[in-house]
Amino acid sequence: MNGHFDLYVGIDYSGAETPESRLGGLQVYAARPGGRPEPVRPRPQGRWSRREVAQWLLATTHGGPRLLVGIDHGFSFPEEYFRRYRLDSWPAFLADFCRYWPTDQPGCAVEHVRRGTWWSSTPRPPGERTGATTALRLCERWTSSTKSVFRFDFQGSVAKSTHAGIPWLRYLREEGGDRIFFWPFDGWRPPEAKSVLAEVYPSIFRHRYPRDGRTPDEHDAYAVARWLEETDRNGMLDRYLDPPLTSPERRTAALEGWILGIA
């Protein structure tokens, strides 16, 4: 893929509270080509909700700059989950997941679904959608410190943010149409005209850059945006968009996803 993006966006996600809650842990930074990332905050509130972040991404990709967006939550689940629930594609996974974890619905928190209280006034689908806390995706087995998307309730867990964020990927996929490319589910080589959304893992990047007074959440979003911009500007992005996977591994990643920055 040749050419640069117009805007590089790092999002440090949060699965706390509800989709409407304004969260200090939900941070967005963006960088123009050749520039340093700057915070992006909604006015006048100054704090994002998950719904607002999704709406901002949708609006920004509509007739505007071409974005490269890194979001730090899991975009999918291990292949064994697909087999267990007879899901044959990522779009099928998204639709099925949102039935069981409707965490984009007004007032719905991850903990409401986990505890079963959400279903007290809403029809509950049959069965459940869970996974073992030891289950890892292939991309997670390629790293030394990532954790299972099913492992809740510990420091550094991505499970809650993943279960809160996946429905918003479906929203962006449905509402964004052809202008948003979900890497690598839509392929490994993004076309020139589309914005790209990818999963990232800020721990890979955060220690490369000084904190300069930023909070940990702010710095993670900053580090992602800065790494994306620098990697593209230095001509190294293609390497990370096309990791050295075998054909079977690529088929697995087409279901499980991949973490941009692992190659």
Side-chain angles (χ1 to χ4, degrees):
M1 182 187 65
N2 297 316
H4 299 294
F5 291 84
D6 302 307
L7 194 66
Y8 304 86
V9 180
I11 300 177
D12 189 65
Y13 215 70
S14 173
E17 303 183 41
T18 72
E20 298 79 24
S21 301
R22 300 193 181 282
L23 305 169
L26 182 53
Q27 296 290 332
V28 180
Y29 272 69
R32 299 284 181 182
R36 288 284 191 264
E38 297 291 339
V40 181
R41 297 190 175 100
R43 295 178 180 177
Q45 301 85 0
R47 288 190 174 189
W48 290 102
S49 70
R50 289 191 291 275
R51 185 179 305 280
E52 287 174 328
V53 168
Q55 291 171 340
W56 177 79
L57 286 172
L58 186 66
T60 305
T61 61
H62 184 68
R66 183 177 179 229
L67 275 60
L68 176 58
V69 183
I71 307 178
D72 77 327
H73 67 67
F75 279 24
S76 189
F77 286 172
E79 189 174 18
E80 62 186 55
Y81 178 99
F82 283 75
R83 291 194 297 267
R84 183 184 311 122
Y85 299 117
R86 300 180 180 180
L87 305 170
D88 60 3
S89 69
W90 188 60
F93 160 78
L94 292 178
D96 184 78
F97 179 88
C98 290
R99 288 182 62 207
Y100 289 84
W101 294 86
T103 50
D104 58 336
Q105 296 303 300
C108 184
V110 171
E111 290 305 309
H112 295 157
V113 182
R114 290 184 70 196
R115 297 169 185 166
T117 56
W118 176 254
W119 308 112
S120 60
S121 59
T122 303
R124 184 171 190 161
E128 60 181 2
R129 293 295 184 267
T130 60
T133 58
T134 55
L136 296 174
R137 296 175 294 158
L138 179 64
C139 59
E140 291 156 351
R141 297 198 297 270
W142 273 40
T143 70
S144 61
S145 58
T146 53
K147 305 296 189 298
S148 170
V149 292
F150 302 121
R151 189 177 174 190
F152 289 92
D153 303 325
F154 79 101
Q155 184 67 31
S157 169
V158 299
K160 186 174 285 189
S161 59
T162 295
H163 284 69
I166 285 175
W168 294 110
L169 299 179
R170 187 188 185 207
Y171 163 82
L172 289 168
R173 190 173 182 83
E174 291 180 343
E175 299 297 326
D178 289 340
R179 65 180 185 268
I180 303 178
F181 185 94
F182 291 81
W183 180 88
F185 307 101
D186 293 334
W188 295 94
R189 308 291 288 181
E192 292 290 340
K194 295 187 180 184
S195 292
V196 177
L197 263 65
E199 179 182 346
V200 293
Y201 187 47
S203 293
I204 299 174
F205 319 124
R206 68 166 62 106
H207 297 303
R208 302 185 187 191
Y209 311 111
R211 280 271 297 274
D212 291 335
R214 287 180 290 271
T215 68
D217 297 308
E218 290 171 342
H219 187 63
D220 277 0
Y222 171 93
V224 169
R226 184 166 172 181
W227 181 85
L228 292 173
E229 189 280 328
E230 289 180 349
T231 302
D232 193 17
R233 176 162 43 87
N234 294 333
M236 298 297 292
L237 185 60
D238 282 357
R239 172 193 169 200
Y240 291 102
L241 289 171
D242 191 22
L245 302 175
T246 64
S247 294
E249 288 171 339
R250 286 178 183 267
R251 287 193 292 271
T252 295
L255 299 176
E256 295 185 342
W258 198 257
I259 297 171
L260 186 62
I262 297 177

Short mmCIF file of all heavy atoms in Angstrom, two decimals, residues 93-121:
data_model
loop_
_atom_site.label_atom_id
_atom_site.label_comp_id
_atom_site.label_asym_id
_atom_site.label_seq_id
_atom_site.Cartn_x
_atom_site.Cartn_y
_atom_site.Cartn_z
N PHE A 93 -20.03 -13.50 13.66
CA PHE A 93 -19.67 -13.34 15.07
C PHE A 93 -20.22 -12.04 15.64
O PHE A 93 -20.77 -12.02 16.74
CB PHE A 93 -18.14 -13.37 15.20
CG PHE A 93 -17.62 -12.76 16.47
CD1 PHE A 93 -17.67 -13.45 17.67
CD2 PHE A 93 -17.07 -11.48 16.47
CE1 PHE A 93 -17.19 -12.88 18.85
CE2 PHE A 93 -16.59 -10.90 17.63
CZ PHE A 93 -16.65 -11.61 18.83
N LEU A 94 -20.06 -10.93 14.91
CA LEU A 94 -20.54 -9.64 15.39
C LEU A 94 -22.04 -9.68 15.66
O LEU A 94 -22.51 -9.22 16.71
CB LEU A 94 -20.24 -8.54 14.37
CG LEU A 94 -18.77 -8.17 14.15
CD1 LEU A 94 -18.67 -7.10 13.08
CD2 LEU A 94 -18.12 -7.69 15.44
N ALA A 95 -22.80 -10.22 14.71
CA ALA A 95 -24.25 -10.27 14.88
C ALA A 95 -24.64 -11.13 16.06
O ALA A 95 -25.52 -10.77 16.86
CB ALA A 95 -24.90 -10.78 13.59
N ASP A 96 -24.00 -12.29 16.20
CA ASP A 96 -24.32 -13.21 17.30
C ASP A 96 -23.91 -12.60 18.64
O ASP A 96 -24.68 -12.66 19.61
CB ASP A 96 -23.58 -14.53 17.07
CG ASP A 96 -23.93 -15.56 18.12
OD1 ASP A 96 -25.00 -16.18 18.04
OD2 ASP A 96 -23.10 -15.75 19.05
N PHE A 97 -22.72 -12.01 18.70
CA PHE A 97 -22.25 -11.42 19.95
C PHE A 97 -23.20 -10.35 20.45
O PHE A 97 -23.50 -10.27 21.65
CB PHE A 97 -20.85 -10.83 19.74
CG PHE A 97 -20.29 -10.17 20.97
CD1 PHE A 97 -19.58 -10.89 21.90
CD2 PHE A 97 -20.50 -8.81 21.20
CE1 PHE A 97 -19.08 -10.28 23.05
CE2 PHE A 97 -20.00 -8.19 22.34
CZ PHE A 97 -19.29 -8.94 23.26
N CYS A 98 -23.66 -9.51 19.54
CA CYS A 98 -24.51 -8.37 19.96
C CYS A 98 -25.86 -8.83 20.48
O CYS A 98 -26.52 -8.07 21.21
CB CYS A 98 -24.68 -7.40 18.80
SG CYS A 98 -23.16 -6.50 18.39
N ARG A 99 -26.29 -10.03 20.16
CA ARG A 99 -27.52 -10.56 20.75
C ARG A 99 -27.31 -10.88 22.23
O ARG A 99 -28.19 -10.66 23.05
CB ARG A 99 -27.95 -11.85 20.03
CG ARG A 99 -28.50 -11.68 18.64
CD ARG A 99 -28.91 -13.02 18.09
NE ARG A 99 -29.98 -13.63 18.89
CZ ARG A 99 -30.20 -14.95 19.00
NH1 ARG A 99 -29.38 -15.80 18.39
NH2 ARG A 99 -31.20 -15.39 19.73
N TYR A 100 -26.13 -11.38 22.55
CA TYR A 100 -25.86 -11.85 23.91
C TYR A 100 -25.19 -10.79 24.78
O TYR A 100 -25.27 -10.87 26.01
CB TYR A 100 -24.99 -13.11 23.86
CG TYR A 100 -25.75 -14.31 23.35
CD1 TYR A 100 -25.90 -14.56 21.99
CD2 TYR A 100 -26.36 -15.20 24.24
CE1 TYR A 100 -26.61 -15.65 21.52
CE2 TYR A 100 -27.08 -16.30 23.78
CZ TYR A 100 -27.19 -16.51 22.43
OH TYR A 100 -27.92 -17.59 21.97
N TRP A 101 -24.53 -9.84 24.14
CA TRP A 101 -23.86 -8.76 24.86
C TRP A 101 -24.26 -7.42 24.23
O TRP A 101 -23.45 -6.79 23.53
CB TRP A 101 -22.34 -8.95 24.82
CG TRP A 101 -21.86 -10.16 25.56
CD1 TRP A 101 -21.77 -11.43 25.10
CD2 TRP A 101 -21.42 -10.20 26.93
NE1 TRP A 101 -21.29 -12.26 26.07
CE2 TRP A 101 -21.06 -11.55 27.22
CE3 TRP A 101 -21.27 -9.23 27.92
CZ2 TRP A 101 -20.58 -11.94 28.45
CZ3 TRP A 101 -20.79 -9.62 29.16
CH2 TRP A 101 -20.45 -10.95 29.42
N PRO A 102 -25.49 -6.97 24.46
CA PRO A 102 -25.97 -5.73 23.81
C PRO A 102 -25.48 -4.47 24.51
O PRO A 102 -26.26 -3.59 24.90
CB PRO A 102 -27.50 -5.88 23.90
CG PRO A 102 -27.70 -6.65 25.18
CD PRO A 102 -26.54 -7.61 25.27
N THR A 103 -24.17 -4.38 24.65
CA THR A 103 -23.58 -3.32 25.47
C THR A 103 -23.53 -1.98 24.76
O THR A 103 -22.97 -1.02 25.30
CB THR A 103 -22.17 -3.73 25.93
OG1 THR A 103 -21.41 -4.18 24.79
CG2 THR A 103 -22.24 -4.86 26.95
N ASP A 104 -24.11 -1.90 23.56
CA ASP A 104 -24.28 -0.60 22.92
C ASP A 104 -25.67 -0.03 23.18
O ASP A 104 -25.96 1.11 22.77
CB ASP A 104 -24.05 -0.71 21.41
CG ASP A 104 -24.98 -1.72 20.75
OD1 ASP A 104 -25.46 -2.64 21.45
OD2 ASP A 104 -25.20 -1.61 19.53
N GLN A 105 -26.52 -0.79 23.86
CA GLN A 105 -27.88 -0.33 24.11
C GLN A 105 -27.90 0.66 25.28
O GLN A 105 -27.11 0.53 26.22
CB GLN A 105 -28.79 -1.51 24.41
CG GLN A 105 -28.94 -2.46 23.24
CD GLN A 105 -29.46 -1.75 21.99
OE1 GLN A 105 -30.55 -1.18 22.00
NE2 GLN A 105 -28.68 -1.79 20.92
N PRO A 106 -28.81 1.64 25.24
CA PRO A 106 -28.85 2.65 26.30
C PRO A 106 -28.95 2.02 27.69
O PRO A 106 -29.80 1.17 27.94
CB PRO A 106 -30.10 3.46 25.97
CG PRO A 106 -30.26 3.32 24.48
CD PRO A 106 -29.80 1.91 24.18
N GLY A 107 -28.06 2.42 28.57
CA GLY A 107 -28.08 1.95 29.95
C GLY A 107 -27.49 0.59 30.19
O GLY A 107 -27.46 0.13 31.34
N CYS A 108 -26.97 -0.07 29.15
CA CYS A 108 -26.47 -1.44 29.31
C CYS A 108 -24.97 -1.42 29.60
O CYS A 108 -24.16 -1.00 28.77
CB CYS A 108 -26.74 -2.28 28.07
SG CYS A 108 -26.24 -4.01 28.26
N ALA A 109 -24.60 -1.90 30.77
CA ALA A 109 -23.19 -2.04 31.15
C ALA A 109 -22.77 -3.50 31.04
O ALA A 109 -23.60 -4.41 31.12
CB ALA A 109 -22.97 -1.54 32.58
N VAL A 110 -21.48 -3.72 30.85
CA VAL A 110 -20.96 -5.09 30.79
C VAL A 110 -21.36 -5.86 32.04
O VAL A 110 -21.77 -7.03 31.96
CB VAL A 110 -19.43 -5.07 30.62
CG1 VAL A 110 -18.85 -6.48 30.77
CG2 VAL A 110 -19.04 -4.48 29.28
N GLU A 111 -21.28 -5.23 33.19
CA GLU A 111 -21.61 -5.92 34.44
C GLU A 111 -23.09 -6.28 34.52
O GLU A 111 -23.44 -7.29 35.15
CB GLU A 111 -21.22 -5.05 35.64
CG GLU A 111 -19.72 -4.92 35.82
CD GLU A 111 -19.02 -6.27 35.93
OE1 GLU A 111 -19.47 -7.10 36.74
OE2 GLU A 111 -18.04 -6.49 35.20
N HIS A 112 -23.96 -5.51 33.88
CA HIS A 112 -25.38 -5.87 33.86
C HIS A 112 -25.58 -7.20 33.14
O HIS A 112 -26.39 -8.03 33.56
CB HIS A 112 -26.19 -4.79 33.14
CG HIS A 112 -26.20 -3.47 33.84
ND1 HIS A 112 -26.45 -2.28 33.18
CD2 HIS A 112 -25.97 -3.14 35.13
CE1 HIS A 112 -26.39 -1.28 34.05
NE2 HIS A 112 -26.08 -1.78 35.23
N VAL A 113 -24.86 -7.40 32.05
CA VAL A 113 -24.98 -8.65 31.30
C VAL A 113 -24.32 -9.79 32.07
O VAL A 113 -24.88 -10.89 32.17
CB VAL A 113 -24.37 -8.52 29.90
CG1 VAL A 113 -24.55 -9.81 29.11
CG2 VAL A 113 -25.01 -7.34 29.14
N ARG A 114 -23.15 -9.54 32.63
CA ARG A 114 -22.45 -10.59 33.38
C ARG A 114 -23.29 -11.11 34.54
O ARG A 114 -23.33 -12.31 34.80
CB ARG A 114 -21.12 -10.06 33.92
CG ARG A 114 -20.07 -9.81 32.86
CD ARG A 114 -18.77 -9.38 33.52
NE ARG A 114 -18.14 -10.48 34.24
CZ ARG A 114 -17.18 -10.34 35.15
NH1 ARG A 114 -16.75 -9.13 35.47
NH2 ARG A 114 -16.65 -11.38 35.75
N ARG A 115 -23.96 -10.21 35.23
CA ARG A 115 -24.75 -10.59 36.42
C ARG A 115 -26.16 -11.05 36.07
O ARG A 115 -26.88 -11.55 36.94
CB ARG A 115 -24.82 -9.42 37.38
CG ARG A 115 -23.47 -8.99 37.94
CD ARG A 115 -23.57 -7.67 38.67
NE ARG A 115 -22.26 -7.20 39.12
CZ ARG A 115 -22.02 -5.96 39.54
NH1 ARG A 115 -23.01 -5.07 39.58
NH2 ARG A 115 -20.81 -5.62 39.93
N GLY A 116 -26.55 -10.87 34.81
CA GLY A 116 -27.89 -11.29 34.40
C GLY A 116 -28.98 -10.28 34.64
O GLY A 116 -30.13 -10.51 34.28
N THR A 117 -28.66 -9.13 35.25
CA THR A 117 -29.71 -8.17 35.57
C THR A 117 -30.27 -7.48 34.33
O THR A 117 -31.40 -7.00 34.36
CB THR A 117 -29.18 -7.10 36.55
OG1 THR A 117 -28.02 -6.47 35.97
CG2 THR A 117 -28.78 -7.74 37.87
N TRP A 118 -29.50 -7.43 33.25
CA TRP A 118 -29.99 -6.79 32.03
C TRP A 118 -31.22 -7.50 31.49
O TRP A 118 -32.11 -6.90 30.90
CB TRP A 118 -28.89 -6.76 30.97
CG TRP A 118 -29.36 -6.19 29.66
CD1 TRP A 118 -29.62 -6.87 28.51
CD2 TRP A 118 -29.65 -4.81 29.38
NE1 TRP A 118 -30.04 -6.01 27.52
CE2 TRP A 118 -30.06 -4.74 28.03
CE3 TRP A 118 -29.59 -3.64 30.13
CZ2 TRP A 118 -30.41 -3.53 27.42
CZ3 TRP A 118 -29.94 -2.43 29.54
CH2 TRP A 118 -30.35 -2.39 28.20
N TRP A 119 -31.29 -8.80 31.71
CA TRP A 119 -32.36 -9.60 31.11
C TRP A 119 -33.63 -9.60 31.95
O TRP A 119 -34.61 -10.25 31.60
CB TRP A 119 -31.88 -11.03 30.90
CG TRP A 119 -30.59 -11.11 30.15
CD1 TRP A 119 -29.38 -11.52 30.62
CD2 TRP A 119 -30.36 -10.72 28.79
NE1 TRP A 119 -28.41 -11.43 29.65
CE2 TRP A 119 -28.98 -10.95 28.50
CE3 TRP A 119 -31.17 -10.21 27.78
CZ2 TRP A 119 -28.42 -10.67 27.26
CZ3 TRP A 119 -30.60 -9.93 26.53
CH2 TRP A 119 -29.25 -10.17 26.30
N SER A 120 -33.66 -8.86 33.04
CA SER A 120 -34.87 -8.82 33.86
C SER A 120 -36.03 -8.14 33.15
O SER A 120 -37.20 -8.44 33.43
CB SER A 120 -34.59 -8.10 35.19
OG SER A 120 -34.17 -6.76 34.95
N SER A 121 -35.73 -7.25 32.21
CA SER A 121 -36.79 -6.57 31.48
C SER A 121 -36.63 -6.71 29.97
O SER A 121 -37.35 -6.07 29.20
CB SER A 121 -36.81 -5.08 31.84
OG SER A 121 -35.55 -4.47 31.55
#
